[in-house]
Amino acid sequence: MSWLSGSQGVVLTAYHPSGKDRAAAESHGQAGEDAAASRRCGQYTMNQELTKVKEKPPFDRSSSQDSVDELTMEDYWNELDNIKKSNENRQDQEVVVVKEPDEGELEEEWLKEAGLSNLFGESAEDPQESMVFLSTLTRTQAAAVQKRVETVSQTLRKKNKQHHIPDVRDIFSQQTQSKEKAPDGTESQSVRTNENKYQGKDDQASSLVVGEKELMPLVPEEAPASETDINLEVSFAEQAVNQKESSRDGTQKSNNALSPSFRLPKDKTGTTRIGDLAPQDMKKICYLALIELTALYDVLGVELKQQKAVKIKTRDSGLFCVPLTVLLEQDQRKVPGTRIPLIFQKLISRIEEGGLETEGLLRIPGAAIRIKNLCQELEAKFYEGTFNWESVKQHDAASLLKLFVRELPQPLLSVEYLKAFQAVQNLPTKKQQLQALNLLILVLPDANRDTLKALLEFLQRVIDNKEKNKMTVMNVAMVMAPNLFMCHPMGVKSSEQQEFAMAAGTANTMHLLIKYQKLLWTIPKFLVNQVRKQNTENLKKDKKTVKKLLKKMAYDREKYEKQDRITNDADVPQGVIRVQAPHLSKVSMAIQLTEELKASDVLARFLSQESGIAQTLKKGEVFLYEIGGNIGERCLDDDTYMKDLYQLNPNAEWVIKSKPS
């Protein structure tokens, strides 16, 4: 039976657990009343307070909602029920106080997060570095920055601050005087042309309506869907503008087919993943990702408000209710280089030891009292190495894993960006939702991003066994969404209709995080190109500085320029690169570039000549790196075409080495 929340709500299908699941839940001390009599669809608010829900008349299914009507939200509400019971047995939860920033504070904080703090305040006298940065922005990115600078300027004037207040017209004069350039140097018209090839393949799928807003339907993964490349070469916000303009002109064709499945496009210069870039370039990527995310939300008319934890009462040791950074500091004293909390890794390991074929894994809860006792025992014995893991039942380990995630003092998706993750559901298309998630992953702190990745990879392994454990990607998304999205209410109370929308929306977002994690952990090419452009501009600026300095010191300028030319002209013939491998027996090799030569071919040539201990090196232990020129350092994927990359960065050095841990 289907139910509808409000006059236009999320379609929810009543579902009765199998006898096997019900028996398992009862045996773990977690069975509620009879499911048919006590189903509480939408019974919890964001801060988990009980509300009464009146019975709604059955919804008359339309043909556009076939796939949605067959889905169930039952696992979601069951999980909220289990969380509430678990909370009743835990008295030591920590407090996070979150406030909305005052007028102007939000934008000021945003500019700091975007690396543009020297556009205002005491350091505003010399914003040269920011000027180089701004010169590489797209029109939509520049508009997003300009909007925030204007707000900060107005606020500072109101408060009569005694420091430099920038004139927005001065900061962005270069942007308005010159033609808009894409990161590769082409004009904006070519950006539009490039985007046109992706139009007509968009994902205007049938959707649910909640109030005035549409939600993307949860389509079963078994449903047939077309596959299309997601465009990573053009700014996402620029794509959104072009799509809007095409829709107004009537050139964007309406497509009511099933939402397509997106895939990573093939890129001849190589796909760049998180972890492939040097820290200094990754920092620039994070700045650009925040600006791009804000620009995308601005274009689509979705509010992006960062929040901040202003008062946090947290523990400074232990396992549960401990900040990720504190946990990792503890763990790194035990195991240097640890990037994911040891307790988190061990819980996943324990679940996998029990076999991922177990029916209802993650859905069936452990007994609340037993979970509480296990928490106390783990706190006392985990770091001493005396805890008996053999005594932990598989469903208990799964409950402990979910407990760990939801009891982090600050959410795994971070205080600053939790609302932005929740707002993903309000974006019009699946493509734009994926684009926003991609950018949000990039702006997460390293500890949060690494732990989230470990969680999603584990969830995918559970789903890989769905034939036996009956946990499809949709089931897992329903169970995990409340743990990731709904356990930090931030003091917000919501209406019944908002609650239904949030439930369906966050479950859908969880589904996208699991299914598209490979795509989401990819750094879009247009951001990498913007970093290349920044580095090139900074190199030009540095060279000018050096030349001025040498001239002042009465050095022979001609001699310097001659030396500079010699350095730039490589000691190898045209069309040949010299690859260095300082840790291998063959330390250097000149390699002729051909149209088909890939990074994997270069590695294979070196490894085929290894002998002795080095011969045991396997593919995946060493990588080919692009170093210098217009990039700090970049690890190349196997399918990178070397000639294409050489043309993009002719001054780079090529080095084979292992990846830092």
Side-chain angles (χ1 to χ4, degrees):
M1 185 181 292
S2 298
W3 306 90
L4 191 67
S5 168
S7 58
Q8 286 183 307
V10 178
V11 180
L12 304 176
T13 306
Y15 160 80
H16 301 280
S18 67
K20 192 168 183 179
D21 266 10
R22 190 196 300 258
E26 287 172 354
S27 71
H28 285 79
Q30 292 294 318
E33 302 87 8
D34 181 77
S38 67
R39 180 50 19 224
R40 304 180 179 90
C41 291
Q43 204 161 346
Y44 294 100
T45 62
M46 280 182 70
N47 46 352
Q48 300 161 3
E49 292 177 356
L50 238 56
T51 57
K52 295 278 185 181
V53 179
K54 293 180 181 178
E55 186 171 311
K56 307 291 188 299
F59 182 71
D60 185 20
R61 182 174 71 184
S62 69
S63 59
S64 66
Q65 290 172 314
D66 288 349
S67 62
V68 179
D69 199 40
E70 291 165 5
L71 296 174
T72 174
M73 292 290 290
E74 183 71 5
D75 289 338
Y76 187 99
W77 308 117
N78 277 342
E79 187 64 21
L80 277 178
D81 202 4
N82 294 331
I83 290 170
K84 182 175 181 291
K85 289 175 183 176
S86 171
N87 288 345
E88 288 169 357
N89 287 284
R90 303 243 331 143
Q91 306 299 323
D92 56 348
Q93 293 185 56
E94 304 297 338
V95 178
V96 179
V97 178
V98 175
K99 71 175 279 252
E100 291 283 352
D102 296 331
E103 184 188 5
E105 284 183 1
L106 182 73
E107 287 77 11
E108 195 168 327
E109 190 62 33
W110 184 91
L111 287 166
K112 286 178 183 174
E113 291 289 320
L116 294 168
S117 58
N118 59 359
L119 290 180
F120 63 92
E122 294 171 5
S123 59
E125 298 301 324
D126 185 25
Q128 286 305 311
E129 192 174 335
S130 290
M131 291 306 175
V132 170
F133 182 83
L134 290 169
S135 71
T136 67
L137 300 184
T138 65
R139 57 180 177 166
T140 46
Q141 290 172 351
V145 174
Q146 185 167 350
K147 183 179 176 183
R148 273 80 198 166
V149 171
E150 284 172 348
T151 304
V152 171
S153 299
Q154 289 167 9
T155 306
L156 291 176
R157 287 192 182 97
K158 281 180 188 175
K159 292 180 178 178
N160 198 23
K161 292 276 185 179
Q162 297 300 311
H163 51 61
H164 180 75
I165 299 169
D167 189 315
V168 176
R169 290 168 298 180
D170 293 340
I171 293 172
F172 289 93
S173 59
Q174 291 179 339
Q175 310 298 111
T176 55
Q177 286 170 5
S178 61
K179 288 184 178 180
E180 183 68 43
K181 298 279 184 178
D184 59 358
T186 57
E187 294 183 11
S188 59
Q189 185 59 43
S190 66
V191 174
R192 293 166 183 269
T193 307
N194 194 23
E195 174 58 11
N196 287 341
K197 69 181 180 183
Y198 291 89
Q199 291 183 1
K201 298 180 182 179
D202 206 356
D203 48 324
Q204 306 295 325
S206 60
S207 55
L208 300 175
V209 178
V210 180
E212 296 289 320
K213 293 178 180 177
E214 290 187 352
L215 289 175
M216 296 306 297
L218 293 167
V219 182
E221 63 273 22
E222 292 82 6
S226 61
E227 267 205 329
T228 185
D229 287 349
I230 193 160
N231 184 354
L232 300 179
E233 295 185 19
V234 179
S235 155
F236 298 155
E238 294 290 332
Q239 291 182 43
V241 168
N242 294 339
Q243 188 175 316
K244 271 187 168 184
E245 290 173 355
S246 297
S247 297
R248 276 200 300 270
D249 297 341
T251 55
Q252 180 75 42
K253 293 180 181 177
S254 175
N255 179 11
N256 292 319
L258 283 173
S259 178
S261 181
F262 289 97
R263 67 188 173 212
L264 273 172
K266 296 289 184 185
D267 181 359
K268 293 195 108 180
T269 59
T271 300
T272 308
R273 297 182 179 85
I274 291 172
D276 285 350
L277 294 178
Q280 67 268 29
D281 282 342
M282 191 61 200
K283 192 174 181 181
K284 292 171 189 171
I285 290 287
C286 293
Y287 291 156
L288 287 165
L290 176 56
I291 295 170
E292 178 66 19
L293 176 70
T294 309
L296 178 63
Y297 276 47
D298 283 354
V299 169
L300 297 174
V302 176
E303 190 175 38
L304 177 62
K305 272 199 172 182
Q306 286 177 269
Q307 291 188 305
K308 195 159 186 178
V310 291
K311 182 184 175 185
I312 310 173
K313 179 191 169 190
T314 59
R315 300 169 62 193
D316 55 9
S317 64
L319 299 174
F320 297 89
C321 306
V322 178
L324 272 178
T325 49
V326 174
L327 263 177
L328 287 171
E329 283 171 12
Q330 286 177 177
D331 292 348
Q332 284 163 3
R333 287 195 288 269
K334 298 277 183 183
V335 183
T338 300
R339 297 175 65 89
I340 298 157
L342 296 176
I343 181 64
F344 190 81
Q345 294 182 50
K346 186 59 186 176
L347 287 169
I348 288 176
S349 174
R350 181 61 189 151
I351 296 167
E352 293 186 325
E353 284 169 11
L356 296 180
E357 300 86 6
T358 306
E359 188 168 335
L361 188 59
L362 295 174
R363 182 171 60 214
I364 297 172
I369 298 298
R370 194 162 62 238
I371 297 302
K372 182 182 178 182
N373 293 335
L374 283 169
C375 282
Q376 292 171 350
E377 198 177 343
L378 276 165
E379 294 278 11
K381 298 179 179 179
F382 178 72
Y383 284 117
E384 292 178 3
T386 57
F387 182 78
N388 180 17
W389 284 99
E390 296 299 319
S391 66
V392 181
K393 299 177 185 294
Q394 191 180 32
H395 290 305
D396 289 350
S399 291
L400 284 167
L401 183 73
K402 292 186 288 184
L403 181 74
F404 173 87
V405 170
R406 67 176 179 265
E407 288 202 349
L408 286 168
Q410 296 191 42
L412 188 57
L413 300 179
S414 81
V415 169
E416 292 80 5
Y417 298 109
L418 179 61
K419 274 197 166 185
F421 273 99
Q422 290 171 338
V424 165
Q425 63 181 297
N426 300 325
L427 302 184
T429 69
K430 178 178 172 183
K431 180 181 82 172
Q432 287 162 347
Q433 290 175 358
L434 285 170
Q435 289 170 339
L437 286 173
N438 186 197
L439 296 168
L440 280 164
I441 296 299
L442 289 171
V443 298
L444 280 178
D446 290 348
N448 298 62
R449 191 196 302 125
D450 293 341
T451 305
L452 177 62
K453 181 71 167 125
L455 175 64
L456 295 176
E457 287 174 345
F458 163 69
L459 296 179
Q460 185 58 57
R461 293 194 294 273
V462 171
I463 293 159
D464 290 342
N465 290 273
K466 64 187 176 186
E467 297 301 325
K468 292 186 178 177
N469 62 30
K470 312 300 181 191
M471 295 299 289
T472 64
V473 65
M474 210 62 68
N475 295 132
V476 172
M478 293 289 182
V479 169
M480 292 306 300
N483 292 282
L484 212 60
F485 289 94
M486 306 298 280
C487 294
H488 289 265
M490 311 296 191
V492 178
K493 292 191 177 184
S494 52
S495 69
E496 179 185 310
Q497 193 170 354
Q498 288 171 326
E499 193 178 303
F500 273 116
M502 184 64 73
T506 54
N508 180 62
T509 301
M510 189 76 225
H511 172 218
L512 295 178
L513 283 169
I514 297 168
K515 182 176 179 182
Y516 288 100
Q517 53 189 286
K518 186 176 178 183
L519 187 155
L520 298 178
W521 260 258
T522 299
I523 302 174
K525 184 176 182 178
F526 74 89
L527 291 181
V528 178
N529 282 347
Q530 284 185 277
V531 169
R532 289 184 188 278
K533 190 173 180 184
Q534 281 179 41
N535 291 341
T536 301
E537 293 301 316
N538 283 324
L539 278 172
K540 285 179 185 175
K541 192 177 75 172
D542 292 343
K543 279 189 177 181
K544 283 180 184 176
T545 305
V546 171
K547 284 181 181 179
K548 282 181 184 177
L549 181 64
L550 290 174
K551 195 174 181 181
K552 281 180 184 177
M553 295 172 70
Y555 273 92
D556 187 344
R557 187 177 177 186
E558 188 180 340
K559 182 180 176 183
Y560 168 77
E561 288 178 342
K562 184 180 178 183
Q563 185 61 41
D564 195 33
R565 283 195 298 273
I566 293 169
T567 305
N568 289 335
D569 298 338
D571 59 343
V572 289
Q574 187 70 24
V576 175
I577 58 171
R578 182 163 293 284
V579 180
Q580 310 290 335
H583 303 297
L584 301 182
S585 54
K586 182 80 174 176
V587 296
S588 179
M589 190 186 297
I591 293 180
Q592 178 71 48
L593 292 172
T594 65
E595 296 293 335
E596 299 304 316
L597 182 74
K598 294 183 181 181
S600 57
D601 301 325
V602 176
L603 278 169
R605 289 191 198 180
F606 272 87
L607 294 178
S608 66
Q609 297 190 31
E610 291 304 299
S611 59
I613 297 172
Q615 200 169 23
T616 60
L617 280 172
K618 296 175 185 173
K619 188 180 173 184
E621 291 180 359
V622 289
F623 302 87
L624 179 58
Y625 278 79
E626 165 197 8
I627 299 176
N630 56 32
I631 203 81
E633 181 174 292
R634 176 171 169 255
C635 182
L636 306 183
D637 80 78
D638 284 348
D639 291 328
T640 303
Y641 285 82
M642 297 305 298
K643 188 171 182 179
D644 292 84
L645 182 57
Y646 173 77
Q647 289 166 351
L648 181 64
N649 191 6
N651 294 320
E653 293 180 1
W654 313 95
V655 180
I656 293 174
K657 61 176 186 171
S658 58
K659 231 177 186 179
S661 57

